[in-house]
Amino acid sequence: MGSKLSTCHYRKLDITSENKRFDINMQGYHDTQESEGGEADLHTYIVGCRKNPGHKQFIPVDTFTLKHLPQCLQDNDLYEFIKSMADLTVRVGVTMSSTQRPKFWPKTTHLYPFYRMSDRINLRTGSGRVWYVNKFQDGVVQDGGYRCSDYKKCWCRKCEVSDLKSNVWWEFDIYTAAHVIFDDLEAIHTTLRLFYDTEDSPVVTVDKLSA
């Protein structure tokens, strides 16, 4: 079994044609991957990837070096920043599609991802970023954190069913796109994997999310 971190709040970014974050003409390419075989089949989809066929220019984070940057940008601070951002990136796995997903992207006739797929439980993966990490003790935020908590004890799944709930826990936000985790229902059926740099990376997961 992998180790478990504490609980997580998610925040979603609405990606529409208006804010230019998403090329609406690339219908069907949504930075998510659906797997009928679940976790075991994810590696097989690299071969058929349509967004980046063959992943020829893909640089695994564990082999990324300063020399991979353009010569004019080979700066140690920039390199360390990129590596730090990689450490904050998580793989998002969702096994539920909400019935509240719209039929089309806003103000378009392009179908919204996974519309009317609430009857399927296929694993859908995307990515997100860790933001605002907070430590709590007895419900009080520590070390100058920014948020309050509705809890006095840890509310992770392990503590939830334990008579000896921890009085110290961590919470953090995850930013992802709205089409990856659309609403609270999908968040309940979401698991995060952190520090997933190689196939041999330790399994560190979070499986308790809230809005």
Side-chain angles (χ1 to χ4, degrees):
M1 292 180 63
S3 58
K4 296 289 183 69
L5 295 181
S6 292
T7 46
C8 166
H9 298 264
Y10 79 96
R11 301 286 185 271
K12 59 186 181 181
L13 302 176
D14 289 309
I15 300 181
T16 69
S17 57
E18 292 181 344
N19 64 18
K20 307 302 181 183
R21 288 177 176 266
F22 178 79
D23 182 1
I24 204 67
N25 294 315
M26 294 183 66
Q27 186 174 2
Y29 295 75
H30 303 294
D31 291 322
T32 55
Q33 176 65 61
E34 187 179 23
S35 172
E36 293 183 359
E39 180 86 18
D41 279 359
L42 283 178
H43 69 282
T44 64
Y45 292 97
I46 295 178
V47 178
C49 177
R50 292 180 293 172
K51 180 179 179 181
N52 190 359
H55 286 203
K56 295 178 181 179
Q57 295 182 323
F58 180 76
I59 304 170
V61 66
D62 62 311
T63 63
F64 177 67
T65 68
L66 187 65
K67 292 183 178 180
H68 284 112
L69 294 173
Q71 189 170 5
C72 61
L73 296 175
Q74 290 183 5
D75 175 80
N76 280 320
D77 289 339
L78 177 59
Y79 169 73
E80 292 298 333
F81 173 77
I82 294 172
K83 294 285 284 187
S84 296
M85 292 304 296
D87 287 339
L88 295 174
T89 300
V90 300
R91 192 188 72 184
V92 179
V94 189
T95 56
M96 169 67 72
S97 292
S98 173
T99 57
Q100 300 303 310
R101 283 179 174 253
K103 184 174 182 179
F104 301 108
W105 285 95
K107 300 180 181 179
T108 76
T109 57
H110 295 274
L111 291 175
Y112 198 81
F114 309 107
Y115 169 68
R116 284 190 175 174
M117 290 188 178
S118 59
D119 59 332
R120 297 166 63 175
I121 57 173
N122 294 346
L123 174 66
R124 184 173 70 251
T125 56
S127 62
R129 183 179 62 172
V130 173
W131 200 258
Y132 295 130
V133 180
N134 290 281
K135 178 182 178 181
F136 288 89
Q137 182 171 346
D138 298 317
V140 179
V141 67
Q142 306 294 304
D143 304 324
Y146 83 103
R147 75 148 45 101
C148 299
S149 178
D150 295 329
Y151 302 90
K152 299 298 182 183
K153 300 289 184 179
C154 178
W155 50 285
C156 73
R157 295 195 187 280
K158 182 178 179 180
C159 286
E160 195 174 39
V161 296
S162 173
D163 293 331
L164 298 174
K165 297 178 175 60
S166 175
N167 70 325
V168 177
W169 72 96
W170 298 81
E171 295 180 8
F172 59 92
D173 289 355
I174 287 293
Y175 277 85
T176 189
H179 63 268
V180 177
I181 305 177
F182 185 75
D183 58 16
D184 292 353
L185 176 63
E186 293 187 4
I188 293 172
H189 295 84
T190 296
T191 300
L192 308 176
R193 182 166 178 182
L194 292 79
F195 315 120
Y196 187 31
D197 297 339
T198 69
E199 292 300 323
D200 298 328
S201 294
V203 179
V204 181
T205 60
V206 173
D207 60 1
K208 186 76 179 286
L209 279 72
S210 73

